[in-house]
Every structure is written in C-alpha cells, then in structure tokens.
Amino acid sequence: MPGPCNTRRKKKLQSRREKKVISPQTPLDIQLDHQPSTPLLYEPEPSQLTNDNPLCPEYDTYHPHESPDPYDPPLDLHAQPPLTAPNIYDPGNGPRVRNARAFLTSFFAQRPAMDDPMCAEFAQEEILQMLCTVLPEETAIILWYNKSRATGRVCPSCRRLYNLGDVLPDLVQDDTKHYPEPRSPYLSREQEISGLCSPLCFIMASFNHPAAIKTTWGRVAEEMDDYTWDLLNGPGVGAGDHGLSLLMKMTRLSDLGLGQLCLPDIDFDSGG
C-alpha cells in the first residue's frame, strides 16, 4: 500500500541516478576508461634502425649454451698415441728385424765399414737403388746392409740379427738334445757370403732350385761347376720367395752381378 515513506525513497534513488549521469568525467577518468587491458610494447620503426646504430650480435643475440652429449667420451688431454710393435723382437732363438728400412737408422744397426774397400764400395746409396730395381725393397735393403758391414748381418730369410762368429741357437728347438752340434765350415762361409744364418734358411732361399742346394751351399762362383750354374739359371719350380732365390744367386758373384742385371746388353766377360 503506497504511503509517504515509499514515495520519499523513490525520489532519493532517482535523484542519485541523475547526479551520476550529469557529473562530468575528469581527464584522468577518460584516460583510464580508454586504456587497454594489456600494456603496449614499444617497437621502433624500421627507419630508426640505421647503420649508425646497428645491433651488436655479441650482446643482442642470445645463444644458449649447449650441454655436451652424454654419449661422447670425455676428452683426455693426457692421452698417448697407440703403441706400435717394436722393430726388434726376440721369439726365443735370437732377435728379429721387423722393418729393414727403420732398422738402418736404429741403435742396433752397425755403421758401414768404410775402412774395407769392398764394404765401402757397396755402402754407396746408388748400389742400394740398383738393388731395389731387381729385388723387393726389404730384401734389397738387407742384402745392401750385409754387403756393406764388416760383421753385422741380418738373415734375409728369417730376419735374425747377428754378428759373424756368433753361435746361434737352432731355429727348430729339439728338447731331446742337450749338446751342441759341430759347426759346419760351410755355415760360416754362407753367413759371410749371403747372410743366411742357418741351413734351414739356405734351403728356404734355394727352394726354387732344390737340385743345386748341396753344390751351392757355402760356395762362390769360382767354386761352382757349370752344371750347378745351369741349374741356378734354369726356370726353377716357380715358387714365390720374395726374391730369396735371386739373392742367393747374386751373392755367389763378388759384384752381385749388378752389371749383368742392370746392363744386360754389355758383355762384361769379353776383353774388348
């Protein structure tokens, strides 16, 4: 039921609404009403990025640090190169030479006997180059070493390192024998002539000419008959021996037959 109290309350509410509509807004209120919810970032115009103010890539570009791969092995600053096999080794019956060229510059190699005229003649570098044209390099170097040293020898077959006059153990050991066998005089001669250190090594070098083994062992050209030379100059059995059969024939001659091998068109036997 309407009364005086309800009429007054309505008038008060209406007067408050009119005041809010009529009340003017201040400049600060207008700015707050039009301000966006998220602040705007300042972005320079492209014309402002001139060459006078370039970006410094060291500071303006960010490169995150990449962690090392856990599967990569750690870097060892004290790591040593892999070990190589020694050039001189001993299987139990005398030292052996692995690499002939490396042996020439090692502590174990004897110096050329320049006081011996024959050794000094063979010690020339040109002789080694001539030998390398007719023999494999390793075999040629061993032959050159044996002919230019007074007592030092390297066996061309088994690569055993020794000196003339050494009592060498057998290459094939027999446990049932406890006494040394008598030394053959042909063995000493063969060691001096070719450097082959044992009867077994000489047989290996003469394998292509088995019929000439007995008549060639420990002998030089002046001590061999024509039949033996015919056997040595024959085709042989054709087995590959790294030039050992040719080395065995060459060492029968005092000059190794280099004149006939390198200059076959010249007849060195004729007097003219």
Side-chain angles (χ1 to χ4, degrees):
M1 178 175 180
C5 294
N6 291 334
T7 303
R8 292 175 183 174
R9 187 176 298 172
K10 290 180 180 180
K11 289 181 180 180
K12 290 181 179 180
L13 292 174
Q14 187 175 0
S15 61
R16 288 178 181 178
R17 292 174 182 174
E18 292 176 354
K19 288 180 180 180
K20 289 182 178 181
V21 174
I22 298 172
S23 61
Q25 291 183 344
T26 61
L28 180 60
D29 295 335
I30 295 174
Q31 293 179 3
L32 293 176
D33 292 339
H34 293 282
Q35 184 176 5
S37 58
T38 57
L40 294 178
L41 296 177
Y42 172 75
E43 296 182 1
E45 296 181 0
S47 59
Q48 296 179 359
L49 298 177
T50 60
N51 295 331
D52 298 337
N53 187 22
L55 294 177
C56 183
E58 296 182 1
Y59 301 99
D60 296 335
T61 306
Y62 175 67
H63 297 284
H65 175 70
E66 297 181 0
S67 59
D69 190 351
Y71 296 100
D72 292 340
L75 180 61
D76 188 2
L77 299 178
H78 302 284
Q80 298 293 331
L83 298 177
T84 58
N87 191 35
I88 305 296
Y89 71 101
D90 191 347
N93 50 14
R96 300 293 201 278
V97 175
R98 294 184 188 273
N99 187 291
R101 187 168 290 278
F103 166 73
L104 292 179
T105 58
S106 68
F107 169 79
F108 302 95
Q110 290 186 7
R111 300 299 97 188
M114 304 306 293
D115 55 343
D116 187 307
M118 185 63 68
C119 292
E121 187 70 22
F122 281 113
Q124 299 179 31
E125 190 70 22
E126 292 79 8
I127 300 296
L128 176 58
Q129 295 176 3
M130 294 174 64
L131 291 174
C132 289
T133 61
V134 295
L135 290 171
E137 183 181 18
E138 289 283 306
T139 306
I141 292 175
I142 292 175
L143 176 57
W144 181 76
Y145 176 84
N146 292 340
K147 301 303 290 186
S148 58
R149 270 64 177 177
T151 59
R153 293 293 185 270
V154 175
C155 180
S157 179
C158 70
R159 304 291 186 90
R160 180 157 54 179
L161 177 63
Y162 67 99
N163 292 322
L164 294 179
D166 291 348
V167 179
L168 305 177
D170 293 336
L171 294 178
V172 181
Q173 297 290 341
D174 191 352
D175 297 336
T176 61
K177 295 181 180 180
H178 300 282
Y179 57 90
E181 294 184 354
R183 185 181 178 86
S184 170
Y186 291 104
L187 176 59
S188 301
R189 287 286 309 279
E190 192 60 43
Q191 290 178 352
E192 183 179 357
I193 293 170
S194 65
L196 295 166
C197 67
S198 66
L200 179 60
C201 291
F202 182 81
I203 293 174
M204 295 295 296
S206 308
F207 187 77
N208 275 330
H209 308 281
I213 292 177
K214 290 184 178 181
T215 55
T216 309
W217 164 248
R219 296 174 175 86
V220 294
E222 291 78 7
E223 302 169 341
M224 297 163 54
D225 54 18
D226 293 339
Y227 176 72
T228 302
W229 275 112
D230 291 339
L231 294 175
L232 295 177
N233 293 327
V237 298
D241 56 0
H242 302 284
L244 288 178
S245 60
L246 180 57
L247 177 143
M248 187 269 295
K249 291 189 294 184
M250 293 174 63
T251 52
R252 304 307 110 180
L253 302 172
S254 59
D255 64 345
L256 300 180
L258 291 176
Q260 298 177 2
L261 290 172
C262 299
L263 302 172
D265 297 334
I266 300 178
D267 187 6
F268 292 91
D269 295 331
S270 63

